[in-house]
Amino acid sequence: MSSENLPQSPEQQLRKPRVAVVFGGRSSEHGISVVTAGAVLNAIDRTAYDVLPIGITTDGRWALTADEPERMAITNRAMPDVAQLAESEEGGVVLSVDPGSREVVYTEPGAVPKALGEVDVVFPVLHGPYGEDGTLQGLLELSGVPYVGAGVLASAVGQDKEYMKRVFTSFGLPVGPYLVVRPREWDSDPAAARERITGFAAEHGWPLFIKPARAGSSIGITKVEDASGLDAAIEEARRHDPKFLVESLLRGREIECGVLEFEDGPRASVPAEIPPVTAHDFYDFEAKYIDAASGIVPAPLTEEQTAEVQRLAVEAFDACSCEGLVRADFFLTEDGGFVINEINTLPGFTPISMYPRMWQESGVSYPQLVDRLIQAALNRPTGLR
């Protein structure tokens, strides 16, 4: 019997829903996940919800952390870390995988395990592998605990840029030229792989972008002007993921659009534009989070262009079977057409991030956005749906 079908005690019926905000994680996006968690913790209505912050360290330990959002900010250009917030260097949080129980237990070496009570919904704010890619979502499905955002399949597809593009293509969404280099290909014959990349450049032109297949926040991406820069760029991408993508430069404007699930289905926000960042080669991690380069919201588009990018964003959401939220990123090319670059099933969610800003401009404030996502998760069953 799954926990959503268990009869509730009078105490359960009276208490506020309990939200576990899970953040940090083992990916290279650990720090920005902590920043996101601070913003979400600040925004959750404490009169409506009880909150349990759970941080995952870079080595994978689930730690009980202080509910102190002010300590989760970027300080002197340095990212925060779960290890700095954990209440113990050894204690761990355990979530039951028994779907008949949503009990969370805290354990420390040499101490009696302590029950922390039941969790009604998880708000995962992990970016990248081991969190955004379906792994955490699979654990929560086994546990029968509702959670914010995309399910297992959509999370996995949304994390892997190769299969994301394959899905887009199968649904008729326009994508730019790309090729994929898998680990076995590079490890067995790097010269042949390099030749395939230079052949791609001969067809589509330099510069190229070399990027990890399963990373986000623009981490590990290098803009390569000619063949002399290939090896260093590939090494940087493979530092984050043994599989990498090669993409051609699409000349045009960068446009983003948010999608949010409402009772009647997904809706698109007003779009935003990411203008050229003069201090950076492209809109990379430093530009986004350290130097806080800002986008234009709403994007200066015609009504027809706005309607088209909103339509494509919702189509991308549906094509990947997404739930909850998505940020869809596009290029408006010089010939006037939109090309989809990627989606993010757990987009940047800090106060300066584009997704919340687009919804703010669309009439949904940051606290309202957080509340809507929690309520949608509470109303959505786990399991096949």
Side-chain angles (χ1 to χ4, degrees), residues 114-138:
K114 184 172 85 173
L116 300 178
E118 291 193 343
V119 165
D120 297 291
V121 62
V122 169
F123 199 131
V125 291
L126 295 114
H127 301 296
Y130 312 109
E132 189 183 351
D133 60 350
T135 50
L136 176 64
Q137 290 75 13

Side-chain angles (χ1 to χ4, degrees), residues 120-161:
D120 297 291
V121 62
V122 169
F123 199 131
V125 291
L126 295 114
H127 301 296
Y130 312 109
E132 189 183 351
D133 60 350
T135 50
L136 176 64
Q137 290 75 13
L139 172 64
L140 296 173
E141 292 286 352
L142 283 174
S143 303
V145 180
Y147 53 92
V148 168
V152 175
L153 173 67
S155 296
V157 170
Q159 186 65 42
D160 191 312
K161 294 177 176 62

Side-chain angles (χ1 to χ4, degrees), residues 109-294:
V112 176
K114 184 172 85 173
L116 300 178
E118 291 193 343
V119 165
D120 297 291
V121 62
V122 169
F123 199 131
V125 291
L126 295 114
H127 301 296
Y130 312 109
E132 189 183 351
D133 60 350
T135 50
L136 176 64
Q137 290 75 13
L139 172 64
L140 296 173
E141 292 286 352
L142 283 174
S143 303
V145 180
Y147 53 92
V148 168
V152 175
L153 173 67
S155 296
V157 170
Q159 186 65 42
D160 191 312
K161 294 177 176 62
E162 175 192 357
Y163 288 98
M164 181 197 309
K165 291 176 185 292
R166 290 183 184 277
V167 169
F168 290 158
T169 302
S170 71
F171 276 82
L173 291 162
V175 302
Y178 73 97
L179 65 81
V180 180
V181 180
R182 297 168 183 260
R184 186 167 55 190
E185 178 186 1
W186 181 258
D187 292 337
S188 63
D189 195 345
R194 198 179 292 109
E195 185 177 347
R196 194 158 71 91
I197 295 170
T198 55
F200 178 85
E203 181 180 358
H204 299 287
W206 298 92
L208 302 177
F209 287 92
I210 310 295
K211 58 177 63 175
R214 294 161 291 194
S217 298
S218 299
I219 288 175
I221 300 178
T222 305
K223 183 180 179 182
V224 182
E225 298 293 344
D226 55 47
S228 65
L230 267 182
D231 284 356
I234 291 168
E235 182 180 347
E236 172 61 16
R238 281 172 54 85
R239 219 163 49 82
H240 302 279
D241 188 343
K243 181 169 78 168
F244 64 92
L245 263 69
V246 181
E247 295 179 351
S248 64
L249 173 68
L250 291 175
R251 301 188 185 280
R253 298 160 62 187
E254 291 190 49
I255 306 294
E256 298 184 348
C257 190
V259 180
L260 180 63
E261 193 172 8
F262 286 77
E263 290 79 6
D264 59 351
R267 301 181 200 167
S269 70
V270 300
E273 179 169 5
I274 308 300
V277 186
T278 55
H280 301 263
D281 274 346
F282 59 98
Y283 193 47
D284 61 6
F285 180 85
E286 291 265 327
K288 285 181 182 178
Y289 297 112
I290 303 299
D291 296 333
S294 184

Side-chain angles (χ1 to χ4, degrees), residues 76-93:
N76 297 324
R77 301 178 71 85
M79 286 288 174
D81 191 284
V82 166
Q84 302 164 353
L85 303 164
E87 294 195 353
S88 164
E89 292 183 0
E90 296 182 300
V93 174

